Amino acid sequence: MSTELLAPLDLAFWHLESDAHPMHLGALAVFAPAPGVGPGRILDLLGTRAAAVPRLRMCVRDVLLPVGGKAWTVDKDFDVHRHVERVVVADGDFMAEATRLAGELMERPLGRGLPPWRMYLIGGPDGGPFAVLVKLHHALADGMRAVAIGAGIFDEIAAVTSARTAARGRPAVPPRSWLPDPREMAGMALGRIGEVGRALGVGASVVRAGRLDLWGPSAFTAPSSGTRRLATADLDAGDLQRIRRAEGGTANDILLGVVAGALRRWMAERGEPLPAADPRALVPVSRRRTGGAATGNRLSAYLLGLPVTAADPRERLRAVRSAMDRNKAAGPLKGAGAVAVLADQLPPLAHRFGAPLAANAARMLFDVLVTSVPLPRSALSLGGCPLTALYPMAPLARGQSLAVALSTYGGRVHVGLVADGKALPDLERLAAAVEEEFTELYTVITGTDRAPVS
């Protein structure tokens, strides 16, 4: 893979990072054991397959031009063993130990002199179920690209990739030119004018949406400690579709309604008063098009008030549906949530010096990140060991204490909650509230109580 400049949004994520605010995505993939497959075999597979993904050999280097810019270049000294590590957990409740350890590992920033990713094989000393924690810097990939990159470790994806490589050999990738073809210049200029106009509109929306009266005193306004805690929840995907058929809307609308209800339930248990205004969620939206560029972040987002002040689950769901319908009618390139569109219009030097300001401003726009990550629908395995669950993990922006990510696999919706460890030490209770809220919503919508909690 040739040298290429970091796209503007990738550069923004690179500069937004600090020791207390690592900007990497994560996923905790859980596997059932298979006869005769030990940790050594799994570790070898992880190393071999990760090394075969060209993107994972790339590191970030400084460039002379443009000023403040950076570029992806192949790490000439790449050694996959620097990136893949086995971690043994104590005997006991495997998932409890694995999630605790994963939270601690998510605290650690990725080394900047190496390709920005790590994989950890987490398991007991004597086999049994195991998990793989994958960390990818947000500059390396957005959610959809992270799935595509991480999927290379699975048997089914690796087999297809190997077959294609063998069939066509290893074709050379032509160097990417930083100058467009002259015939494309006119079209690009017109497109650029439209993009700048769009960015000005988004900027005006951001100014109007900025809040001086932030959500009242709560765990979400606690100072960042740099610690990380992970908790997980599991919902039945079949029951989710039954709610959708009965009430309408999208699966994502329902999950956002569940998050709102879980926050309300959790705050009540903590003895916290309900806020005067609903907290805001930032809901990322992919701008990646089929057949488009494979590299770089292509994101926008919607802002959504999570209706925690509404007492009825059906009312919360309908409020979310109505708000998301308005967002979708406006489109992902408009409104204050489309802050990523602004990043695409800024020069590299602005990202370098403006990152601290942008990081601190995030708190003015939203309180919680809630994102859905698409996964392949087919069954997946690693070394013959079946994948049983995959919990995505989103990074925390400065001033944020909670991020919620969801993915659907194997008939289940897997929810990964990442929080500041000191601000939300009771994160497991919030995860339980997600499951309880889903059960209550199912009962209210369908009139039955068949929704399982686990």
Side-chain angles (χ1 to χ4, degrees):
M1 188 174 291
S2 58
T3 298
E4 63 179 72
L5 288 174
L6 267 70
L9 188 52
D10 302 346
L11 192 62
F13 285 130
W14 189 256
H15 286 308
L16 281 170
E17 184 170 63
S18 67
D19 288 343
H21 303 91
M23 290 301 297
H24 48 252
L25 309 169
L28 186 67
V30 183
F31 298 86
V37 182
R41 169 63 176 160
I42 297 299
L43 203 62
D44 287 344
L45 282 175
L46 287 176
T48 301
R49 292 174 179 175
V53 178
R55 198 71 185 163
L56 296 183
R57 291 174 171 267
M58 305 292 282
C59 58
V60 176
R61 298 286 188 238
D62 292 329
V63 294
L64 292 176
L65 293 174
V67 177
K70 292 186 181 293
W72 291 109
T73 58
V74 175
D75 183 1
K76 297 179 180 179
D77 300 318
F78 178 76
D79 181 356
V80 75
H81 298 99
R82 296 175 179 175
H83 300 267
V84 179
E85 177 184 345
R86 184 188 176 198
V87 183
V88 179
V89 298
D91 290 329
D93 185 332
F94 170 72
M95 275 305 300
E97 285 296 307
T99 52
R100 179 193 62 78
L101 180 61
E104 294 176 1
L105 294 172
M106 287 293 288
E107 291 179 11
R108 305 177 185 176
L110 293 161
R112 292 215 154 197
L114 300 172
W117 65 274
R118 291 294 296 259
M119 291 184 187
Y120 300 90
L121 172 60
I122 302 172
D126 301 317
F130 64 92
V132 175
L133 173 64
V134 180
K135 292 167 51 176
L136 296 171
H137 199 285
H138 211 333
L140 185 65
D142 54 27
M144 291 185 69
R145 281 298 297 163
V147 170
I149 292 172
I153 71 171
F154 295 115
D155 298 338
E156 296 75 11
I157 309 299
V160 172
T161 302
S162 298
R164 289 176 178 171
T165 301
R168 66 176 183 237
R170 286 187 173 270
V173 179
R176 175 179 172 177
S177 173
W178 297 350
L179 294 175
D181 187 291
R183 292 169 296 182
E184 299 175 356
M185 290 290 287
M188 290 184 65
L190 289 174
R192 189 68 174 173
I193 292 172
E195 289 172 357
V196 171
R198 184 185 302 127
L200 291 174
V202 173
S205 296
V206 169
V207 172
R208 289 194 298 269
R211 301 169 300 171
L212 295 178
D213 53 337
L214 302 182
W215 197 18
S218 73
F220 297 97
T221 59
S224 299
S225 69
T227 60
R228 292 293 180 269
R229 195 173 185 89
L230 171 67
T232 63
D234 292 271
L235 314 175
D236 187 277
D239 287 344
L240 177 65
Q241 292 304 320
R242 293 182 188 96
I243 296 172
R244 182 182 179 186
R245 287 194 294 269
E247 190 65 18
T250 68
N252 200 48
D253 293 343
I254 296 167
L255 293 172
L256 287 165
V258 168
V259 171
L263 287 173
R264 176 186 172 90
R265 185 183 298 261
W266 175 73
M267 291 172 66
E269 290 181 359
R270 279 175 142 236
E272 291 188 12
L274 291 176
D278 288 329
R280 279 183 183 168
L282 185 75
V283 184
V285 180
S286 175
R287 294 166 54 203
R288 194 173 298 282
R289 292 180 292 183
T290 303
T295 59
N297 280 270
R298 298 292 297 167
L299 289 172
S300 184
Y302 296 135
L303 285 179
L304 171 72
L306 293 173
V308 301
T309 52
D312 180 71
R314 192 191 299 266
E315 182 183 347
R316 287 193 291 269
L317 175 55
R318 290 177 176 175
V320 166
R321 259 190 75 187
S322 178
M324 288 301 288
D325 285 346
R326 289 194 298 271
N327 277 328
K328 292 169 189 173
L333 300 180
K334 294 183 179 180
V339 287
V341 175
L342 293 175
D344 282 338
Q345 311 306 319
L346 297 176
L349 199 59
H351 286 296
R352 180 177 177 182
F353 292 106
L357 179 63
N360 290 320
R363 183 70 186 89
M364 302 290 290
L365 281 178
F366 67 97
D367 304 291
V368 182
L369 174 70
V370 185
T371 183
S372 294
V373 180
L375 294 180
R377 295 185 179 181
S378 58
L380 300 171
S381 61
L382 174 60
C385 302
L387 176 71
T388 59
L390 194 149
Y391 302 97
M393 289 170 278
L396 294 179
R398 187 171 304 180
Q400 311 295 311
S401 297
L402 176 67
V404 183
L406 313 101
S407 64
T408 301
Y409 174 80
R412 308 288 290 174
V413 179
H414 303 294
V415 185
L417 300 96
V418 176
D420 183 286
K422 291 187 177 179
L424 279 77
D426 57 343
L427 187 64
E428 290 82 2
R429 186 55 230 146
L430 178 56
V434 170
E435 296 181 345
E436 294 162 3
E437 179 62 25
F438 182 73
T439 300
E440 181 177 353
L441 179 63
Y442 181 90
T443 301
V444 168
I445 297 298
T446 68
T448 63
D449 57 358
R450 294 190 304 107
V453 172
S454 60

